[in-house]
Amino acid sequence: MLDEKLDDIYSEVLRRNPAEPEFHQAVREVLGSVGPVLSKSPNYASQKIIQRICEPERQIIFRVPWQDDHGDVHINRGYRVEFNSALGPYKGGLRFHPSVSLGTVKFLGFEQIFKNALTGMPIGGGKGGADFDPKGRSEDEIMRFCQSFMTELYRHLGEYTDVPAGDIGVGTREIGWMFGQYKRITNRYESGTLTGKGLAWGGALVRPEATGYGAVFFLQEMMKVQGRSVDGRTCVVSGAGNVAINAIAKLEQLGGTVVACSDSQGYVYDPDGIHLPTLREVKEVERKTLEAYAERRPNSQHHVRGNIWEVPCEIALPCATQNELNASDAARLVANGCLAVAEGANMPTTPDGIEILRQGGVLFGPGKAANAGGVATSALEMQQNAARDSWSFSKTEAKLAEIMSSIHEQCAATAEAYGRPGDYVLGANIAGFVKVAEAMCALGLI
Ligand code: GLU
């Protein structure tokens, strides 16, 4: 339940942003946490900080025309929502997926504001993407799409303005094509304009691993508080993209056994533990479905359209997409003795799912804290670009671990201070919100 003032603000958000259920969900979750802060800091209300935070500073929607290999013309819709720049230039990824709508980009951009604040790095929040479906498209088609997308977006970007990176459907390959087009149009090698770049052209070590590794570092910190560790635990990681693969790698390094992962076609169960080289070959090189994994691992089973949360585990990392873990999945995890859930994806657990995990005593690391390692390492990439420097893998990984531990500490301390020890949702929302709110108050009514 929201108190009356917040309820009015929320109703206004619903009225002004119709048919954007994911954005509503993301706003509702933050409003559900910040009530106690408002009574402490009356200037937030008089400055209408919440209403301002819920309204993006700028929303860009544009046409992206491109031609397929047969010469047929396609039109997609591109987005960049520049949500909040109180702490630094807009920062956040680009998602290419047929489900992308303005509401999706706004939910992601809204989450990004608080996530980025938690990293402690000087970055504001933004997000973008297009309703383009890269599945089944040739390399040439995807390159042409990326070039057309950037031909419009470039005018809004810059290292001091807005710095995109990848997200679902956008990896180093796509960032390369977009960076190339940006460079061609502007005639400037501005490395700090995009992150997630390849190593040879301004990228940073650890950036590819960072979101998955970071989620596991956050998980480790939560478990440490309870005197537990990952070693010897059975884990399930949904997804089979960049975040999932690197989360699996880190869990396995720490002695966990990851017995299942998934993609849009279903999940694969491998009782011997997911074999990373096979998974990488299938997903990163061949870009095939997990069926190809199962064919190469005789002990594993492919469950077409199966629900991965049926697989018993002590640690669950949802690393696929929003709202992939619902109330009945959460109940199943609790019944199967799950100890901890850390969100590698953005908003993968539904609000009633989170509530069931909470009631079941399951440690829960929300995405805006647990998956902040990706964007934090993007900020490290920007630092290296600005200094024309490049750091070693071990130095960067140590820095990432330090940032994740600091995020955990902020969330834990804030939850404790507000009388809800162990509530990382409350801790992350309040700690992130206060940083942004303080900066907004200091910068005046803009
Ligand atoms: N898309 C990632 C996220 O959700 C990374 C964003 C970035 O590196 O800018 O945080």
Side-chain angles (χ1 to χ4, degrees):
M1 275 294 282
L2 296 175
D3 71 24
E4 204 180 315
K5 251 197 220 124
L6 285 170
D7 202 42
D8 288 348
I9 295 175
Y10 184 56
S11 303
E12 190 61 5
V13 168
L14 295 183
R15 192 187 66 75
R16 285 164 62 83
N17 304 275
E20 294 177 354
E22 292 147 336
F23 178 52
H24 303 160
Q25 183 183 333
V27 170
R28 176 71 183 72
E29 193 210 272
V30 171
L31 296 193
S33 297
V34 298
V37 182
L38 299 184
S39 18
K40 276 196 181 175
S41 308
N43 59 327
Y44 293 172
S46 65
Q47 292 301 309
K48 294 218 161 79
I49 293 296
I50 297 191
Q51 294 91 325
R52 277 155 66 193
I53 281 189
C54 292
E55 184 69 20
E57 290 175 14
R58 192 176 295 109
Q59 307 184 55
I60 302 148
I61 304 181
F62 52 99
R63 181 172 68 200
V64 189
W66 58 282
Q67 254 180 324
D68 68 21
D69 290 343
H70 310 289
D72 290 336
V73 169
H74 298 260
I75 313 292
N76 284 98
R77 192 170 289 172
Y79 304 90
R80 186 72 181 166
V81 173
E82 298 181 333
F83 226 116
N84 194 295
S85 60
L87 299 179
Y90 309 106
K91 182 81 197 87
L94 299 169
R95 177 176 292 192
F96 291 169
H97 192 270
S99 68
V100 166
S101 65
L102 181 60
T104 324
V105 178
K106 278 165 71 178
F107 117 66
L108 290 163
F110 186 75
E111 293 264 305
Q112 200 84 42
I113 304 170
F114 307 102
K115 183 198 304 194
N116 293 5
L118 284 171
T119 66
M121 315 294 287
I123 42 178
K127 203 85 187 191
D131 60 354
F132 169 69
D133 189 358
K135 222 169 258 158
R137 290 292 171 195
S138 70
E139 291 222 333
D140 286 347
E141 289 173 327
I142 297 174
M143 181 174 75
R144 283 197 292 275
F145 179 82
C146 288
Q147 290 175 337
S148 180
F149 184 85
M150 188 50 90
T151 300
E152 176 57 33
L153 190 64
Y154 88 95
R155 72 194 77 241
H156 304 288
L157 306 183
E159 81 175 284
Y160 298 105
T161 312
D162 186 351
V163 184
D167 196 84
I168 293 171
V170 178
T172 309
R173 183 181 68 168
E174 290 74 20
I175 293 291
W177 290 327
M178 287 191 269
F179 183 63
Q181 185 74 350
Y182 181 88
K183 185 174 81 62
R184 185 178 190 193
I185 295 172
T186 60
N187 195 31
R188 289 165 70 90
Y189 205 110
E190 287 178 17
S191 305
T193 299
L194 284 161
T195 62
K197 300 181 295 298
L199 264 190
W201 37 279
L205 286 167
V206 190
R207 179 62 191 89
E209 293 83 3
T211 313
Y213 277 23
V216 176
F217 291 152
F218 192 88
L219 167 81
Q220 259 189 314
E221 294 289 331
M222 290 198 299
M223 295 187 79
K224 210 158 72 184
V225 174
Q226 297 193 337
R228 294 185 154 124
S229 76
V230 171
D231 192 23
R233 306 264 178 214
T234 302
C235 314
V236 164
V237 176
S238 66
N242 168 272
V243 180
I245 287 175
N246 289 291
I248 294 170
K250 188 48 85 179
L251 286 167
E252 292 189 349
Q253 267 179 37
L254 295 172
T257 306
V258 182
V259 293
C261 67
S262 61
D263 62 15
S264 60
Q265 303 305 303
Y267 76 88
V268 72
Y269 174 70
D270 192 335
D272 305 328
I274 296 290
H275 187 250
L276 260 180
T278 307
L279 182 65
R280 284 191 189 277
E281 190 176 274
V282 166
K283 283 292 169 185
E284 294 179 339
V285 182
E286 299 169 11
R287 297 175 189 265
K288 288 189 174 153
T289 71
L290 288 170
E291 194 179 355
Y293 176 95
E295 280 163 9
R296 287 167 219 184
R297 296 274 296 171
N299 275 348
S300 72
Q301 298 150 18
H302 186 229
H303 296 255
V304 183
R305 280 182 294 280
N307 181 353
I308 191 170
W309 307 118
E310 291 168 0
V311 179
C313 62
E314 296 164 286
I315 290 171
L317 262 66
C319 296
T321 194
Q322 64 269 20
N323 293 328
E324 54 159 313
L325 199 168
N326 63 23
S328 62
D329 301 327
R332 182 85 62 123
L333 287 174
V334 173
N336 284 339
C338 180
L339 302 169
V341 173
E343 295 187 323
N346 290 310
M347 210 169 76
T349 316
T350 60
D352 48 0
I354 296 175
E355 185 51 29
I356 287 173
L357 294 174
R358 200 184 62 76
Q359 284 170 13
V362 179
L363 285 171
F364 180 75
K368 53 172 90 67
N371 75 36
V375 74
T377 309
S378 276
L380 300 179
E381 182 174 333
M382 291 164 73
Q383 267 186 31
Q384 291 167 73
N385 292 149
R388 309 207 182 287
D389 196 1
S390 55
W391 304 347
S392 68
F393 193 95
S394 57
K395 172 177 169 166
T396 319
E397 192 185 14
K399 190 90 189 129
L400 168 64
E402 197 184 297
I403 293 169
M404 295 316 295
S405 151
S406 143
I407 294 173
H408 174 271
E409 176 54 31
Q410 290 172 66
C411 297
T414 307
E416 181 99 38
Y418 282 84
R420 298 259 290 275
D423 187 340
Y424 292 98
V425 173
L426 184 100
N429 285 337
I430 294 186
F433 173 80
V434 168
K435 282 191 186 179
V436 180
E438 283 301 310
M440 287 176 74
C441 286
L443 297 181
L445 186 55
I446 54 170

